[in-house]
Structure formats: structure tokens, C-alpha cells
Amino acid sequence: QAWVLLAPAVWGRSTMNAMARGMLWVVSHTLPSMAVSGANPVIKVTDDEEVLKALSRDPMLIRQTRMDAVAGIVDMMDAARTAAPLFDPGPALIVWAGRDDLIPNGATRSFLDLLPPAPPADRTVLFDSAGYHLLLRDTGRGARAAEIGQFLGNHLPLPRIAG
């Protein structure tokens, strides 16, 4: 078995500034059903305009999220950070994006620092300075998919074909 983590969601409370932590706590505890929109012209999840158009028309895309759900997502990111020192799954490829507007680079860097040491053959960390949060949906996806394929090809057994 091998693991691939793309733009891991690891922006827990310990890496948020005091204002963000405080606002999250106050709003999630006083107005938990208040919904916030993910629509923000400053936040860019991909540089592929066709993907952005498709996402804007996707009826399955969640357009608003309740504050108690946001707090729950942050709880999961806190849990991921807490578990990081125990992360020893065997071969792992971790790719993070330099242009990720959802998960700050500082949060990802500090998450990587929390991981236990691993032999280079077991863990590959790639920083894609041109990548966005949706690493397999931006214009560099072809090269990234090839890197993932090569990593998996080196770490997973080939299936046996009966015959």
C-alpha cells in the first residue's frame, strides 16, 4: 500500500492567528446555523478557467456552509495535526501547492515538521510553487498526474493477470 496526499487540509487552530481562532469560536458557538459562502474573488482554487466555469455550474457543489460545519472541518484538521507525529503508513507522496489560497503554506510547512522521520524511499514531499489547491484540476495537472503515477508504479505491486 502507498499513500498520496495532495494539498493536505492541515490548517488547524494552532496555525491560525488569534483573530481567526476567536472569530471561529464566537460565530460557531453563537450562530452555528449561520451559513457562509465560499464565493470569494480573492481565493483561487485553480488557474484553469474551464474548470472554474464547470465548478460554477456544478449542482453538487456546496455553495454555503454552516459555521458549525466549518468548526467541524477545523476539528478534523486539528486531529490531522495531532496525529502527524504518528504518521507512518509506509510509502507516501505529499504534494503541496505554493498558490494554495485555502491552506496557508505556513500551516503545511509546520505539519510537515510534525511528521516523524522517514527513509527517503518511503516519503517524498514535493512543493509545487505554481500549484493551486485543486492540484489535479489546474493547468499543471498532467505533470502532477505523471509524478503520482510514477510514485505509485514504484511502490505498488502490479496486478496479476490470469491467463
Side-chain angles (χ1 to χ4, degrees), residues 28-46:
S28 66
H29 284 82
T30 59
L31 300 166
S33 62
M34 183 178 92
V36 292
S37 169
N40 182 332
V42 176
I43 294 176
K44 194 170 183 180
V45 294
T46 177

Side-chain angles (χ1 to χ4, degrees), residues 44-56:
K44 194 170 183 180
V45 294
T46 177
D47 62 346
D48 188 319
E49 294 298 323
E50 292 303 314
V51 169
L52 289 171
K53 287 178 192 173
L55 290 172
S56 74

Side-chain angles (χ1 to χ4, degrees), residues 10-83:
V10 292
W11 189 25
R13 287 171 181 85
S14 65
T15 55
M16 291 180 178
N17 66 42
M19 175 70 84
R21 269 193 320 273
M23 289 298 294
L24 176 63
W25 189 93
V26 168
V27 177
S28 66
H29 284 82
T30 59
L31 300 166
S33 62
M34 183 178 92
V36 292
S37 169
N40 182 332
V42 176
I43 294 176
K44 194 170 183 180
V45 294
T46 177
D47 62 346
D48 188 319
E49 294 298 323
E50 292 303 314
V51 169
L52 289 171
K53 287 178 192 173
L55 290 172
S56 74
R57 295 186 297 264
D58 186 344
M60 300 301 288
L61 187 73
I62 297 172
R63 308 257 179 238
Q64 294 194 345
T65 305
R66 289 172 44 124
M67 283 307 300
D68 54 355
V70 172
I73 292 167
V74 175
D75 289 345
M76 288 190 290
M77 291 190 285
D78 284 339
R81 294 183 64 79
T82 298

Side-chain angles (χ1 to χ4, degrees), residues 83-137:
L86 306 173
F87 184 73
D88 188 19
L93 170 64
I94 303 170
V95 186
W96 55 299
R99 294 184 173 183
D100 193 332
D101 288 337
L102 296 178
I103 308 298
N105 282 329
T108 304
R109 266 191 227 100
S110 69
F111 169 77
L112 294 171
D113 290 343
L114 294 170
L115 297 175
D122 284 346
R123 185 178 306 140
T124 302
V125 177
L126 299 176
F127 175 69
D128 187 336
S129 62
Y132 291 81
H133 186 71
L134 298 181
L135 283 163
L136 292 179
R137 302 290 307 267

